[in-house]
């Protein structure tokens, strides 16, 4: 029996079982029971299940930093930026290639974005370029583990330490990844996870901020909810002033119920994703004209959220796959192309320029089998 609830037949494509879609949400078995349990209590907004999810998530991934469950990874990133005290005049180094959710909240702060180039073989931020961008105005360094492969964290941390600024990891794609024996989420000052619909774990929408400095825990909890100290408020007396501006970024117990069920199948989710990724790597190794991104590392474990290839004549390959009812796509685009980031463009991003027309994301999700990967690889091998 599968360990998920939403069956393949419920695909939104009129597929007859033939389509291989790029993404599919994973709704764990046990989700309905967990939600039904929540709906029969007084707490459906932020209540005991949010706390339980924070505890269980940290325990499952062996994270000793403080978890703060929020409404999305974007919320978590914004809270990390607030806690890093970003403001006008500050510079933040951020990878040029990422989900816009990483960069847009930086615009709320009026900071200057310094786009860093990627490494062509991983598509992660290039520490060599970060070392050249860093200066006395740098206030934070943001790293994104593209596709689930951890960045060069030691190199990034060393640069951050030289100027005394936090590293903020956007680990939306890297639940379960490890770097030099440490789980992602227990390394940097701040790490953010996403539980959006198609991530490893979904709570519908949701996220988690992991904080290293316990001294920031109560402030983080307050600004998650307007700036109000919920525990003091529950004391029932009007003794709790609001002295800092907060947001409405909390997770709900309904979302947490989904997350609690998903945690129980996380091992299976990760091992299936890793098996599918390994199969792609093995099958495509000898195929001319494509190269799988982010393989061959022994000091870090891939969370296998995306399988990306660099392909010659990408549009032709995409069309060929589509003819065979296989979805593929770019998923993310270099952020400096968007008008909202026009002020931050630079012409010093050679690796981004080099892969821009070649990267392509192949289907990888828990509704796929090894035979599906073989079908994708056979199609690629037959030429395009
Ligand atoms: C999915 C994703 C996000 C956004 O997550 P939300 O939970 O939708 O806010 C941010 N960064 C990266 C790299 C992502 O993949």
């Amino acid at each position: 029996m599968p360990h998920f609830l939403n069956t393949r037949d419920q695909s939104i494509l009129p597929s007859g079982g033939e389509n291989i879609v790029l993404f599919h949400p994973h709704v764990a078995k046990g989700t309905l029971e967990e939600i039904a349990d929540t709906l029969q209590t007084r707490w459906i907004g932020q209540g005991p299940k949010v706390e339980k999810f924070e505890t269980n998530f940290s325990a499952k991934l062996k994270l000793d930093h403080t978890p703060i469950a929020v409404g999305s990874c974007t919320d978590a990133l914004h809270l990390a930026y607030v806690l890093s005290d970003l403001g006008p005049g500050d510079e933040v180094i951020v990878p040029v290639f990422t989900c816009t959710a990483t960069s847009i909240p930086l615009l709320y702060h009026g900071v200057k974005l310094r786009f860093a180039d990627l490494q062509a073989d991983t598509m992660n931020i290039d520490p060599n370029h970060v070392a050249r961008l860093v200066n006395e105005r740098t206030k934070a360094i943001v790293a994104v583990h593209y596709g689930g492969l951890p960045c060069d964290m030691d190199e990034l941390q060393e640069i951050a330490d030289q100027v005394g600024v936090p590293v903020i990891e956007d680990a939306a794609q890297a639940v379960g990844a490890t770097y030099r024996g440490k789980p992602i989420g227990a390394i940097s000052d701040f790490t953010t996870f996403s539980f959006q619909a198609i991530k490893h774990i979904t709570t519908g929408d949701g996220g988690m901020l992991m904080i290293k400095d316990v001294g920031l825990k109560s402030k983080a909890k307050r600004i998650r909810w307007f700036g109000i100290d919920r525990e003091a408020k529950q004391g029932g007396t009007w003794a709790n002033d609001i002295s800092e501006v907060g947001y409405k970024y909390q997770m709900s117990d309904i979302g947490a119920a989904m997350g609690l069920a998903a945690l129980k199948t996380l091992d299976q989710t990760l091992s299936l994703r890793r098996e599918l990724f390994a199969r792609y790597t093995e099958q495509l190794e000898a195929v001319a004209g494509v190269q799988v991104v982010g393989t061959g590392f022994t000091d870090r474990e891939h969370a296998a959220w995306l399988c990306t290839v660099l392909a010659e004549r990408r549009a032709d390959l995409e069309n060929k796959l589509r003819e065979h009812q296989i979805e593929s796509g770019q998923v993310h685009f270099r952020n400096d192309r968007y008008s909202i980031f026009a002020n931050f463009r630079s012409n010093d991003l050679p690796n981004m320029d080099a892969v821009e027309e070649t990267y392509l994301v192949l289907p990888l999700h828990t509704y796929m089998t090894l035979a599906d990967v073989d079908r994708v690889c056979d199609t690629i091998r037959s030429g395009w």
Side-chain angles (χ1 to χ4, degrees):
M1 278 302 285
H3 54 279
F4 44 73
L5 196 68
N6 37 355
T7 66
R8 193 170 185 166
D9 301 329
Q10 292 167 321
S11 164
I12 53 166
L13 294 167
S15 64
E18 293 289 310
N19 282 332
I20 301 181
V21 296
L22 191 49
F23 294 113
H24 198 298
H26 177 92
V27 178
K29 276 191 128 187
T31 301
L32 287 179
E33 291 80 359
E34 195 71 57
I35 290 180
D37 176 64
T38 298
L39 294 180
Q40 290 169 71
T41 71
R42 280 181 62 218
W43 296 97
I44 61 173
Q46 187 195 342
K49 286 221 173 152
V50 170
E51 237 165 84
K52 189 172 171 192
F53 180 57
E54 290 173 339
T55 306
N56 290 11
F57 180 79
S58 303
K60 180 76 204 168
L61 295 174
K62 301 191 173 64
L63 310 179
D64 52 5
H65 293 184
T66 303
I68 309 283
V70 288
S72 69
C73 183
T74 312
D75 295 350
L77 284 159
H78 185 212
L79 290 186
Y81 299 158
V82 173
L83 293 168
S84 302
D85 209 15
L86 303 182
D90 296 333
E91 291 187 7
V92 175
I93 299 172
V94 62
V96 68
F97 183 67
T98 182
C99 178
T100 49
T102 317
S103 322
I104 288 176
L106 289 168
L107 300 178
Y108 308 164
H109 295 265
V111 298
K112 178 172 180 187
L113 278 74
R114 301 298 307 270
F115 284 123
D117 205 358
L118 47 72
Q119 303 164 318
D121 60 338
T122 66
M123 297 189 76
N124 275 337
I125 192 166
D126 180 2
N128 295 320
H129 192 209
V130 175
R132 283 190 283 121
L133 290 171
V134 85
N135 65 57
E136 68 280 1
R137 292 179 300 281
T138 306
K139 200 72 184 281
I141 297 172
V142 182
V144 180
H145 308 305
Y146 175 67
L149 179 78
C151 298
D152 292 339
M153 294 314 301
D154 284 350
E155 287 81 350
L156 293 170
Q157 190 63 56
E158 196 183 318
I159 300 165
D161 288 344
Q162 281 164 13
V163 283
V165 302
V167 172
I168 299 165
E169 289 175 62
D170 177 346
Q173 307 183 356
V175 168
T178 63
Y179 174 80
R180 298 190 170 162
K182 274 196 163 181
I184 292 298
I187 299 174
S188 302
D189 302 271
F190 302 101
T191 307
T192 67
F193 292 103
S194 173
F195 312 123
Q196 179 255 349
I198 53 172
K199 296 289 162 54
H200 292 83
I201 292 172
T202 179
T203 61
D205 258 315
M208 191 77 81
L209 171 63
M210 303 301 306
I211 303 176
K212 187 176 184 175
D213 178 0
V214 285
L216 290 173
K217 177 180 172 177
S218 34
K219 174 166 180 171
K221 287 193 161 187
R222 283 195 306 274
I223 64 173
R224 169 174 64 175
W225 202 61
F226 300 118
I228 297 172
D229 183 335
R230 281 171 72 99
E231 274 147 49
K233 188 181 165 87
Q234 279 159 15
T237 55
W238 174 243
N240 41 308
D241 190 16
I242 300 175
S243 55
E244 67 219 315
V245 177
Y247 306 88
K248 189 158 189 280
Y249 281 174
Q250 82 281 13
M251 181 178 276
S252 76
D253 267 29
I254 296 173
M258 289 185 74
L260 285 166
L263 279 177
K264 292 185 185 150
T265 63
L266 182 61
D267 290 340
Q268 288 148 289
T269 297
L270 277 167
S271 63
L272 175 56
R273 283 182 164 279
R274 284 176 173 142
E275 253 183 89
L276 298 169
F277 185 88
R279 184 73 147 226
Y280 270 124
T281 306
E282 174 195 306
Q283 294 275 312
L284 295 177
E285 198 162 20
V287 179
V290 286
Q291 181 202 330
V292 179
V293 165
T295 63
F297 286 88
T298 52
D299 67 341
R300 61 198 81 179
E301 263 180 304
H302 206 302
W305 190 64
L306 296 176
C307 179
T308 305
V309 293
L310 303 181
E312 289 171 11
R313 290 175 291 102
R314 178 178 66 194
D316 294 343
L317 178 56
E318 253 189 294
N319 287 333
K320 169 85 186 250
L321 289 168
R322 196 172 303 134
E323 279 163 22
H324 287 76
Q325 291 182 267
I326 298 163
E327 269 185 357
S328 61
Q330 274 74 69
V331 185
H332 302 308
F333 298 88
R334 56 186 299 171
N335 281 193
D336 60 353
R337 282 291 152 94
Y338 297 103
S339 301
I340 51 171
F341 299 120
N343 291 342
F344 310 117
R345 288 180 184 147
S346 90
N347 45 23
D348 186 20
L349 300 164
N351 296 338
M352 181 74 252
D353 297 341
V355 301
E356 187 174 3
E357 301 299 330
T358 69
Y359 71 92
L360 186 67
V361 179
L362 303 175
L364 203 177
H365 51 77
T366 58
Y367 286 70
M368 285 177 71
T369 61
L370 291 173
D372 290 327
V373 173
D374 291 347
R375 198 180 118 199
V376 178
C377 295
D378 288 345
T379 307
I380 295 173
R381 201 178 294 110
S382 72
W384 66 95

